[in-house]
Amino acid sequence: MSSHRTYADDLFPQEVMDSGTATPPQDYPSSTSSQSSHQHYLESANSRIHVGWVTSPYEAKEELDTAISGHCSRLGEAKYTFVAFPVGGVVRGFWKPVEGAKNEPPAIQLPDVQLANNLWETYVTGRTSPWIDCDSEDPKFAEISEESLITELNYIAYMGLNSMTIQLNRISSPRTAALFNKWVWTRNTRFTMWIQLPSSVEQCLDFDPQSTPKNMDIWTIWANFRQGCYNFSGVYLQAMLRIAGDLPDEFVDTKRVDRWKAEPLGGFVVETDVYATDRNGMASLSSAHISFLRQLWSSDDLRILVDPKTDTFLYNVTLKAEYALALRQAVRDVNYKSSESSTTSLAVSEYKDVLQAPLQPLSENLDSSVYNVFEQDKIKYDAYGDAVMGVLKELGADGRKEIVIYLLGGGRGPISSPNNPTKVNVPRNGPVTIGVYIHGTTILRAEKDYNTKFRQKGDHLKVKLYIVEKNANAIITLRYMNHRTWRRRVTIIESDMRRLPEIARKMNYHQPDLIVSELLGSIGDNELSPECLDGVTDFLKPETISIPQKYISYVAPIMSNHIHQTIRAQSIPYLARGLPSHGRLQPELNGEGAWVQLYPQGDIINNMDQIYVVFLSKYISLSRQTKEMFTFQHPNFQHSTNERSAFIEFPIDRNTDIMGFAGYFDLHLYKNVILSTVPETHTPGMMSWFPALIPLREQLRADDGDTVALKINRKVDQGGVWYEWSAQLKKPNGEIITTPIQNPNGESYYMRM
């Protein structure tokens, strides 16, 4: 018997059909090495968490420029992994211009040959001279600063450094931003640029209590600079937050701190005046500073720079090491705990912030691997089984002997029978697939369970099951399973479900008491479930029940510079230029005999005018709650139109850049059986749907107190369905800013019927 087992037996185990039971899950003990692993994780903080030292005027001796190797070695002994060193040398770096003088800065005096290239790359971050001020009110000094900054950037590129840092000392730095904008976009040289921000608005050189806007904050300073660089890639242009003894309000207010989770954050510059002395006489951080660091410590790839503000470290030989130790202790376990709590049976981490096009199963056939992913979700299919059981219980109460069920869009049949093997974590051996079958209640299992509970005297209720599937490839699987596992109980109909009324009348098929479908996208209706189910309405009885009965889409504005950049940066490889777009136009044969997909609206607009599916990671929601968008109910006996229009408003409670809207939905299967991807009501453990993303072409700057609205229309014609959307920003003074209508006439995103 075992020699005839196939992969299908794992997909749909025979013993469930025979006995109504499956091999129960086994309880595995937790790893005995978990405690030692945690201890090792903490002890590895020195190598995992990179703390650097900012070379300061207190230690700046001229000979240091030619003795950087010893400087790095001494810092290494104090457990520092890199140093921010003046790229022109300490003589140039700490030169002080004299007002009214000619002011010619010293030449660069940092020879590159004193370290091997790989050591410069690994241990040294180039620091531009602190006196450079391209936005100085003195036009001559601003000009000198620009020339000097270009010289130093050129030298950083010459030395092959992997990173550099510059300190912003002003609220507004348009000339500095313009210089960087030209550099990053026109030079074929790439290194990470850490933009150090002021520790507070009040510390800025151009701060004026009378004229500076009351809502000005550090984030706005960064966002304006980033915008001045045309939002260049966050891989290379990153913010560094400066932490001083007194934290500004925006570093304490959680909702304002959260904005940095949606920005390209490179790390932190910690001034030494933040440290206190603990009861053991060691340098320590306050709970407020620790909380701020931990809240934003999203990855051990972040960097921390220690910036000395006094010369105390020259006289206390252990102080440098204590500074670094206190920082590592503050954040060393953050990512260990987050990784422990985020384990799921699907490896979703690889999908973080990855743009995916929504499926179009009505116009395109899915392949086996896609079905396999869908079938992994035990939670979803358990809920479907509960819903079917609820219908059987209600309809069977009148004593009937048969119920007719149509499964519409059956795929490979997961709702008809038990699901795939699940993956469990086995100690020492890692994740493996074992014989623990997901015995989720399904249509045929629900029949068996119902009869066991409610028809014990033998007067059994029988389910007459029809499966409708248009994918000719999946039909092969369905027929095989019907023969091997379902005992030929199922009538399989190879057809688009919209032709079902015609076929059923011709073949004299029974009308359904219940129709079951799972045709839903990330905002419910975006895989054309309404159009598909409306196609079978004329075949239904007036009392036919639908699973699902209703689904509602929801949206919320979000902030994510990273995802906005990712969408804009998409490009089409040469060998993919003939692939059909997601819009209305189709590929054409050009004069050279090549198939080419044209984008008359332009590549960037084409990218921005589509709806995506994304496992959102580097983002924050800008609303305390999602709000309803569209609602669909089934069966649609009234033949109501599937066109929709919504205008959804959200108050904004912080300065921000709105990149678009995240979309979710909840699914009312039957009565109180509900599945949800909405953050506030998300079904625990369910992973079938990632959020949808409705982007704006340009990030929309909003201030605390503004109101943003999404205006979105769902439109239908003979060929398909599409959405058109725009945003409206309303200021407290009544001013209204409206963005362009996106995806007009479905030119970039069109769901074919």
Side-chain angles (χ1 to χ4, degrees), residues 426-676:
V426 181
R428 302 182 189 87
N429 296 327
V432 296
T433 301
I434 61 175
V436 182
Y437 304 122
I438 298 177
H439 51 287
T441 43
T442 54
I443 293 173
L444 296 177
R445 174 66 185 273
E447 174 202 59
K448 187 176 185 67
D449 287 351
Y450 172 81
N451 286 322
T452 300
K453 294 178 182 178
F454 303 106
R455 299 283 183 96
Q456 296 177 352
K457 295 182 179 180
D459 190 19
H460 285 178
L461 175 69
K462 182 178 181 181
V463 167
K464 187 171 185 60
L465 178 61
Y466 295 81
I467 297 180
V468 184
E469 174 56 53
K470 73 173 184 62
N471 186 341
N473 302 308
I475 286 289
I476 296 171
T477 302
L478 290 172
R479 287 173 176 160
Y480 174 74
M481 300 315 302
N482 195 27
H483 169 75
R484 182 182 181 88
T485 304
W486 301 332
R487 300 173 182 170
R488 302 182 186 275
R489 288 192 52 190
V490 180
T491 301
I492 296 172
I493 304 171
E494 181 180 354
S495 172
D496 185 319
M497 69 183 70
R498 292 172 295 177
R499 293 190 58 236
L500 178 61
E502 172 191 347
I503 294 172
R505 291 187 181 103
K506 182 178 179 181
M507 301 300 296
N508 201 29
Y509 291 148
H510 296 76
Q511 286 181 283
D513 299 298
L514 168 66
I515 56 174
V516 182
S517 65
E518 196 273 279
L519 309 167
L520 301 160
S522 289
I523 47 175
D525 62 276
N526 65 306
E527 291 185 9
L528 305 188
S529 176
E531 286 69 28
C532 292
L533 294 180
D534 282 1
V536 305
T537 302
D538 291 342
F539 178 57
L540 306 183
K541 304 175 184 178
E543 64 273 13
T544 296
I545 296 171
S546 172
I547 294 177
Q549 295 181 308
K550 179 174 68 173
Y551 37 92
I552 306 170
S553 55
Y554 298 78
V555 290
I558 66 169
M559 174 183 176
S560 178
N561 184 63
H562 169 71
I563 298 176
H564 198 269
Q565 290 172 334
T566 302
I567 297 173
R568 292 183 70 92
Q570 290 183 105
S571 60
I572 299 172
Y574 177 80
L575 295 179
R577 62 182 181 151
L579 296 180
S581 73
H582 301 128
R584 189 180 285 270
L585 294 180
Q586 290 288 280
E588 299 177 1
L589 192 64
N590 67 13
E592 300 174 354
W595 284 95
V596 177
Q597 175 66 62
L598 301 178
Y599 299 92
Q601 69 271 43
D603 291 351
I604 292 180
I605 288 180
N606 177 66
N607 291 346
M608 303 309 301
D609 285 12
Q610 298 186 48
I611 291 179
Y612 297 90
V613 174
V614 188
F615 178 35
L616 297 170
S617 176
K618 295 180 181 177
Y619 88 108
I620 61 166
S621 176
L622 297 171
S623 176
R624 294 179 180 177
Q625 63 179 26
T626 54
K627 294 189 177 182
E628 291 187 15
M629 186 166 66
F630 301 143
T631 299
F632 293 87
Q633 295 186 342
H634 299 291
N636 181 14
F637 288 121
Q638 293 76 31
H639 296 284
S640 302
T641 178
N642 288 324
E643 293 194 330
R644 297 287 190 275
S645 181
F647 185 82
I648 312 152
E649 292 185 298
F650 300 88
I652 299 299
D653 60 2
R654 70 205 94 172
N655 296 357
T656 187
D657 280 341
I658 302 168
M659 69 80 52
F661 297 82
Y664 313 92
F665 76 102
D666 61 26
L667 175 63
H668 298 246
L669 293 174
Y670 181 70
K671 293 187 175 179
N672 63 343
V673 182
I674 297 173
L675 294 171
S676 175

Side-chain angles (χ1 to χ4, degrees), residues 135 161 172 183 199 294 452 514 536 545 612 688 729:
D135 295 278
L161 300 184
S172 179
W183 176 273
S199 59
R294 290 176 66 87
T452 300
L514 168 66
V536 305
I545 296 171
Y612 297 90
S688 281
L729 188 71

Side-chain angles (χ1 to χ4, degrees), residues 92 95-106 131 136 138 140-145 147-148:
R92 175 185 172 92
W95 168 72
K96 292 186 179 298
V98 179
E99 188 175 352
K102 191 174 181 181
N103 283 330
E104 291 186 2
W131 49 263
S136 170
D138 181 343
K140 290 185 178 180
F141 188 69
E143 184 178 346
I144 291 172
S145 294
E147 293 173 356
S148 299

